[in-house]
Amino acid sequence: MSQWLKLCSKAEAPRPGRVMEADAGGRAICLANVNGELSALGNLCPHREGPLGQGWIEGNTVICPWHSWAFHIKTGVSEYPANESVDVFPVKVDGDDVLVEIA
Ligand code: FES
């Protein structure tokens, strides 16, 4: 069963080209804004658990701030190196809240 949980307010959400860390029910999330569209990924990099939400955006990827692994914002699949991934979560804006769907 999944549920929609509040991640942050709309005003707190990152501006285009930015990422941030947030928490949804105890789950650490990286919230990214690319061209005004929000995406939610697991915050912990599978390499050494670097905080993706403290990284940055390049194209359609979030770059881990520790050793620059790159994850596609929609699929969570790594573009560098190959064959790595993080979870991705449905995200939506409901009124003044940004919600994420956690399984
Ligand atoms: S911890 Fe993310 S690239 Fe090393």
Side-chain angles (χ1 to χ4, degrees):
M1 191 178 129
S2 65
Q3 54 185 335
W4 288 92
L5 299 173
K6 181 175 176 178
L7 202 48
C8 63
S9 70
K10 211 164 120 182
E12 292 167 333
R15 301 284 167 250
R18 299 294 184 92
V19 293
M20 65 177 266
E21 295 176 293
D23 179 281
R27 180 121 195 196
I29 299 289
C30 166
L31 185 63
N33 184 332
V34 174
N35 297 325
E37 191 176 342
L38 295 171
S39 299
L41 304 90
N43 192 49
L44 291 186
C45 177
H47 182 215
R48 302 249 175 99
E49 301 192 340
L52 295 182
Q54 293 179 28
W56 62 91
I57 300 286
E58 281 185 20
N60 286 320
T61 63
V62 174
I63 309 297
C64 178
W66 286 5
H67 316 96
S68 300
W69 284 19
F71 300 91
H72 193 280
I73 52 160
K74 293 298 180 193
T75 65
V77 174
S78 61
E79 296 196 354
Y80 170 80
N83 302 319
E84 300 288 344
S85 66
V86 293
D87 290 336
V88 291
F89 305 92
V91 60
K92 68 180 179 184
V93 175
D94 183 12
D96 287 334
D97 295 336
V98 176
L99 306 177
V100 65
E101 188 176 30
I102 303 289

